[in-house]
Amino acid sequence: MSAPDTEATAGLKAFAVGEDAAGMRLDQWLAARTAPNLSRNRVQALIRSGDVRIDGKVVGEPKAKLVAGTLVTLGMPEPEPAEPEAEAIDLSILFEDDDLIVIDKPAGLVVHPGAGNWTGTLVNALIHHCGASLSGIGGVRRPGIVHRLDKDTSGVLVVAKNDMAHRALSDAFADHGQTGDLERAYHAIVWGVPPRPAGIIDAPLGRSGTDRTKRAVVPAGRSDARHAVTHYGVVEKFGARSDATAFASLVECRLETGRTHQIRVHMAHVGHPLVGDQTYGRAFRTKANKLPDDMKNLVGDFPRQALHARLLQFRHPRTDDILRFEAPYPADFMELLEAMRRLPSE
């Protein structure tokens, strides 16, 4: 009898070779051990691609003979997603030429296909809209995503159509305007009002210790800590009080770095999470109960984080012209803003 199989880590399986398996072909034995999840052809492909080891050494030959007492490990690479398909999805286009396209992304539209969102994304829409004008990114006819907005964040976003534009825009966004002409401004409606009219939030971000899909402010020395800096300014206060506080406020945020969920995490970190943010501001949702009845449901049930990419400026990678785009507030953001403006001041 062979020794029991062991599983080392996620995506990596280990199998002990017993006396009864000595002399058997590696592919035949491993296919039997992994059936019905893997076919013999699939096992052979994994062996040839270097994903199978015997006692830690890569074995690239499916016909290799097994030796009793050895340990066979099989690494299961992440499955590659299918190529995105073209889909006829309406887009609000602010600018387009042979090199790039600038859109006003609506809230609810995912930028790139991924787990749970393989269709209905901006990439699917762009493949349909741009068609043959996509000369390819990395040899593949697809749009070049150089920056992203969260699914429920609205506003200005630029996408490259070819390698030249993709490289130039990627470099500009990596620099975050520190030496170039890139300028980005986001508007957010947050609970309360920061104590100073303008400030800088300098706090490294990493994965949350309780939920790997979330980000959190972490110690700078932690292995996954990433430098993150947000500049903010208060644009408007709502329900201002005599003690200089307010029920809520409209703030403008400009990024010195571009980390995942950066504005949302940083504003929550300083005690002013975004209205509607169920990930980082859930604890503040009950504040809406203090509002007049005609506003309570609108504010308390706002279905997304109140964040809008208001402004984007960059230098065109081919013409060298400075392009500047501003996206008006979408209807839901404007309705929330107008409701906040009806709050009386003390």
Side-chain angles (χ1 to χ4, degrees), residues 191-231:
W191 293 114
V193 60
R196 293 185 297 277
I200 300 174
I201 305 170
D202 186 345
L205 300 182
R207 288 194 181 276
S208 166
T210 58
D211 185 343
R212 290 184 60 81
T213 65
K214 295 172 60 175
R215 297 298 187 272
V217 171
V218 301
R222 212 172 84 170
S223 61
D224 69 331
R226 298 293 181 268
H227 180 56
V229 179
T230 301
H231 299 255

Side-chain angles (χ1 to χ4, degrees), residues 265-284:
V265 178
H266 270 176
M267 294 310 300
H269 177 65
V270 297
H272 303 287
L274 276 60
V275 172
D277 194 335
Q278 297 302 307
T279 301
Y280 302 106
R282 182 182 294 272
F284 280 68

Side-chain angles (χ1 to χ4, degrees), residues 17-345:
V17 180
E19 293 290 342
D20 57 343
M24 288 184 64
R25 280 178 51 139
L26 172 61
D27 60 343
Q28 181 182 4
W29 178 81
L30 196 54
R33 286 300 181 98
T34 56
N37 296 322
L38 298 178
S39 67
R40 188 167 173 178
N41 285 340
R42 176 61 173 149
V43 168
Q44 290 174 344
L46 289 170
I47 293 171
R48 293 191 179 101
S49 63
D51 292 301
V52 176
R53 297 171 181 260
I54 295 179
D55 284 348
K57 296 182 180 180
V58 174
V59 180
E61 178 50 62
K63 297 179 181 179
K65 301 298 183 181
L66 294 172
V67 176
T70 55
L71 186 70
V72 176
T73 53
L74 168 65
M76 289 296 296
E78 290 293 325
E80 296 183 5
E83 286 295 318
E85 296 183 358
E87 294 182 54
I89 299 171
D90 289 338
L91 294 173
S92 176
I93 299 170
L94 304 178
F95 176 86
E96 183 177 10
D97 64 10
D98 291 340
D99 297 307
L100 54 88
I101 181 170
V102 181
I103 71 157
D104 182 0
K105 187 189 89 66
L109 180 64
V110 175
V111 170
H112 200 279
N117 293 288
W118 295 117
T119 61
T121 73
L122 175 61
V123 167
N124 298 110
L126 288 172
I127 291 173
H128 178 271
H129 172 80
C130 297
S133 68
L134 292 174
S135 65
I137 307 295
V140 179
R141 191 180 295 279
R142 60 183 171 86
I145 304 300
V146 296
H147 70 123
R148 301 189 187 194
L149 298 177
D150 291 342
K151 173 184 176 182
D152 290 325
T153 298
S154 55
V156 193
L157 186 144
V158 60
V159 179
K161 288 186 175 183
N162 53 55
D163 275 323
M164 180 279 295
H166 189 247
R167 285 193 300 270
L169 290 171
S170 293
D171 288 345
F173 276 86
D175 181 68
H176 296 287
Q178 296 182 57
T179 60
D181 301 289
L182 181 74
E183 186 178 346
R184 287 189 289 172
Y186 297 77
H187 281 194
I189 300 174
V190 305
W191 293 114
V193 60
R196 293 185 297 277
I200 300 174
I201 305 170
D202 186 345
L205 300 182
R207 288 194 181 276
S208 166
T210 58
D211 185 343
R212 290 184 60 81
T213 65
K214 295 172 60 175
R215 297 298 187 272
V217 171
V218 301
R222 212 172 84 170
S223 61
D224 69 331
R226 298 293 181 268
H227 180 56
V229 179
T230 301
H231 299 255
Y232 74 85
V234 177
V235 178
E236 194 173 348
K237 298 179 184 179
F238 311 116
R241 305 185 179 98
S242 56
D243 60 0
T245 62
F247 185 81
S249 56
L250 175 69
V251 298
E252 180 174 282
C253 295
R254 293 178 180 252
L255 302 180
E256 189 173 312
T257 58
R259 308 302 178 193
T260 301
H261 299 174
Q262 180 173 318
I263 292 173
R264 299 165 62 190
V265 178
H266 270 176
M267 294 310 300
H269 177 65
V270 297
H272 303 287
L274 276 60
V275 172
D277 194 335
Q278 297 302 307
T279 301
Y280 302 106
R282 182 182 294 272
F284 280 68
R285 186 176 179 181
T286 55
K287 288 195 66 172
N289 294 332
K290 301 177 182 178
L291 293 169
D293 289 340
D294 62 335
M295 296 174 58
K296 189 180 301 182
N297 290 339
L298 171 63
V299 177
D301 296 335
F302 194 70
R304 65 180 181 99
Q305 66 267 8
L307 182 62
H308 179 66
R310 178 75 167 179
L311 167 70
L312 177 62
Q313 173 185 289
F314 58 91
R315 186 175 291 275
H316 194 288
R318 187 180 301 276
T319 67
D320 218 31
D321 293 336
I322 297 293
L323 302 181
R324 187 179 181 89
F325 303 95
E326 291 190 38
Y329 297 136
D332 65 340
F333 193 100
M334 195 68 215
E335 185 180 13
L336 177 64
L337 188 61
E338 292 294 348
M340 289 293 188
R341 286 170 173 164
R342 293 198 296 272
L343 287 173
S345 299

